[in-house]
Amino acid sequence: MFKVIIIGCGNIGFRHFEGLLKSNLSLIIYVIDPNLEALNRVQKCYEASNSLEKTCYFFESIQNIPEQIDLCIVATNSKVRLKVSESILKNTTVKYLILEKVLFQKESDYDKMSSLLKEFNVNGCWVNCPLRTVPIFKELKERIYSNLIYHVEYRNFGIGCNSIHQLDLFAFLTNCLDVNLEMNQLEDVIESKRKGYLEVLGTLTAYTNKGDKLVISSNHQSSPNYFIRFNFNEEIWTVFPLTERMKIENIQNNEVIEKVINYPKQSSMTSLLVSDLLLFEKCSLPDYETSKKLHVTLINNLNVFFSKILNHEVIECPIT
């Protein structure tokens, strides 16, 4: 049986746990969280599943974990993620690691994590930016042969915590990690729904040197309907993730096609990712070094914006 640890079982950690229960693999799952309420929620989910191929243990700390682990999923908040990752690597041998985003708050933490992965001989580390694994976006990548104009809009988007997902998809679709960010249309800072963190309103724009463009807009005037629009070749694809549908417009002949698409939830994606990783030793998520480059670009630019709005130097980006 494969041994898997989830550290942090809040909302995203809970979805990862659901995904593990859905998988066809025989698993021993260790769930670690200091919050007893969160642990109890996960335990009830396990008991309700009546799974015969999964054995689960629930702990408040990592003291009771085995000496070797096949996969560790770190789903804590960004403030403690490096500390938790370092602690787990020092206490057990980890073959594979999946980290939630936003990875870390300080630029120096990213190099520290690179060093830890080498020091403890982790076979592979990936970051959970899964849009590049969604079927419709994989199909889109195969069809692009011109510059891409990519627009995301949603009133409740959360530019701080969610932009890294769009930046990763942008890099994937354009085959370009070197992106330039413009923050001059960001408007304001508000309290995040996650206590102790901040969120950003306005428009963030990214460019590649090849002429591709990404625009992320979220404020009180933005659309209440979440959409992602891609303008390329002679077509416009508009994807509506929450309703799992899309519209394709042909610019030349004005033909419009609407269709239902598969836009999988996190638990379904986790189930597939874990099976691929543990059975076939492959993972379609961005590897750590790839995601590190995009993360550092994002947090450094956001820190400049936060410093301006908050009237003091910000070196720990307050997003998660």
Side-chain angles (χ1 to χ4, degrees), residues 4 6 13-29 31 41-58 267-268 270-272 274-275:
V4 180
I6 298 178
F14 182 78
R15 300 306 173 199
H16 284 305
F17 182 75
E18 287 182 318
L20 294 179
L21 293 183
K22 287 180 181 180
S23 79
N24 296 322
L25 302 178
S26 296
L27 301 174
I28 301 175
I29 306 169
V31 183
R41 181 188 179 209
V42 175
Q43 187 165 357
K44 288 178 181 177
C45 177
Y46 169 60
E47 292 169 353
S49 73
N50 295 315
S51 176
L52 299 177
E53 296 183 335
K54 313 292 187 297
T55 301
C56 296
Y57 300 98
F58 306 92
S267 59
S268 297
T270 298
S271 183
L272 293 173
V274 167
S275 294

Side-chain angles (χ1 to χ4, degrees), residues 230-273:
F230 306 92
N231 193 324
F232 63 101
N233 307 349
E234 295 295 331
E235 294 183 334
I236 300 173
W237 288 23
T238 306
V239 176
F240 301 91
L242 301 182
T243 56
E244 293 190 271
R245 61 186 183 89
M246 71 173 296
K247 180 171 65 174
I248 299 175
E249 302 169 74
N250 188 300
I251 296 173
Q252 289 184 323
N253 60 20
N254 295 320
E255 180 184 19
V256 177
I257 300 172
E258 296 191 29
K259 62 180 183 179
V260 175
I261 59 171
N262 173 27
Y263 202 97
K265 301 293 189 292
Q266 180 62 65
S267 59
S268 297
M269 290 191 283
T270 298
S271 183
L272 293 173
L273 289 167

Side-chain angles (χ1 to χ4, degrees), residues 14-283:
F14 182 78
R15 300 306 173 199
H16 284 305
F17 182 75
E18 287 182 318
L20 294 179
L21 293 183
K22 287 180 181 180
S23 79
N24 296 322
L25 302 178
S26 296
L27 301 174
I28 301 175
I29 306 169
Y30 299 82
V31 183
I32 316 294
D33 198 305
N35 186 319
L36 279 176
E37 185 177 343
L39 278 181
N40 289 335
R41 181 188 179 209
V42 175
Q43 187 165 357
K44 288 178 181 177
C45 177
Y46 169 60
E47 292 169 353
S49 73
N50 295 315
S51 176
L52 299 177
E53 296 183 335
K54 313 292 187 297
T55 301
C56 296
Y57 300 98
F58 306 92
F59 300 118
E60 294 176 67
S61 73
I62 63 171
Q63 295 175 352
N64 299 304
I65 61 176
E67 293 182 356
Q68 291 187 321
I69 288 294
D70 295 291
L71 171 64
C72 175
I73 300 174
V74 182
T76 65
N77 61 52
S78 61
K79 191 173 294 185
V80 301
R81 186 167 291 120
L82 179 67
K83 181 180 178 180
V84 167
S85 299
E86 183 173 12
S87 181
I88 196 78
L89 291 175
K90 287 181 175 179
N91 280 276
T92 186
T93 300
V94 177
K95 187 174 183 181
Y96 299 122
L97 196 59
I98 292 178
L99 304 176
E100 266 304 326
K101 53 86 236 149
V102 172
L103 281 167
F104 317 114
Q105 294 184 323
K106 293 189 294 184
E107 182 177 2
S108 59
D109 288 350
Y110 290 85
D111 287 335
K112 178 68 181 294
M113 189 68 210
S114 293
S115 298
L116 288 170
L117 294 173
K118 292 177 182 177
E119 179 182 353
F120 293 100
N121 298 310
V122 178
N123 285 28
C125 178
W126 295 268
V127 178
N128 190 38
C129 290
L131 291 186
R132 58 171 64 205
T133 73
V134 173
I136 193 62
F137 299 142
K138 291 167 73 175
E139 178 185 343
L140 173 65
K141 181 179 174 67
E142 296 299 316
R143 299 184 59 146
I144 296 174
Y145 59 79
S146 67
N147 284 344
L148 174 67
I149 306 299
Y150 167 175
H151 181 204
V152 182
E153 185 169 333
Y154 184 34
R155 185 177 301 170
N156 301 316
F157 182 73
I159 289 175
C161 67
N162 288 314
S163 287
I164 192 64
H165 283 299
Q166 306 300 327
L167 285 169
D168 180 73
L169 181 58
F170 186 50
F172 172 71
L173 294 174
T174 61
N175 296 312
C176 184
L177 271 178
D178 294 313
V179 296
N180 301 302
L181 299 186
E182 281 189 5
M183 303 290 188
N184 56 3
Q185 289 184 288
L186 292 181
E187 301 166 3
D188 204 359
V189 171
I190 59 173
E191 293 291 329
S192 169
K193 62 183 179 181
R194 294 174 178 87
K195 187 177 180 181
Y197 295 92
L198 299 177
E199 201 36 270
V200 179
L201 298 178
T203 297
L204 181 153
T205 306
Y207 300 92
T208 69
N209 292 331
K210 301 182 299 180
D212 307 292
K213 181 179 179 181
L214 164 65
V215 179
I216 304 172
S217 298
S218 181
N219 59 23
H220 301 302
Q221 287 75 48
S222 296
S223 170
N225 301 311
Y226 179 24
F227 71 81
I228 309 174
R229 180 168 293 138
F230 306 92
N231 193 324
F232 63 101
N233 307 349
E234 295 295 331
E235 294 183 334
I236 300 173
W237 288 23
T238 306
V239 176
F240 301 91
L242 301 182
T243 56
E244 293 190 271
R245 61 186 183 89
M246 71 173 296
K247 180 171 65 174
I248 299 175
E249 302 169 74
N250 188 300
I251 296 173
Q252 289 184 323
N253 60 20
N254 295 320
E255 180 184 19
V256 177
I257 300 172
E258 296 191 29
K259 62 180 183 179
V260 175
I261 59 171
N262 173 27
Y263 202 97
K265 301 293 189 292
Q266 180 62 65
S267 59
S268 297
M269 290 191 283
T270 298
S271 183
L272 293 173
L273 289 167
V274 167
S275 294
D276 276 351
L277 188 52
L278 296 180
L279 291 178
F280 306 110
E281 299 185 338
K282 63 179 184 179
C283 185

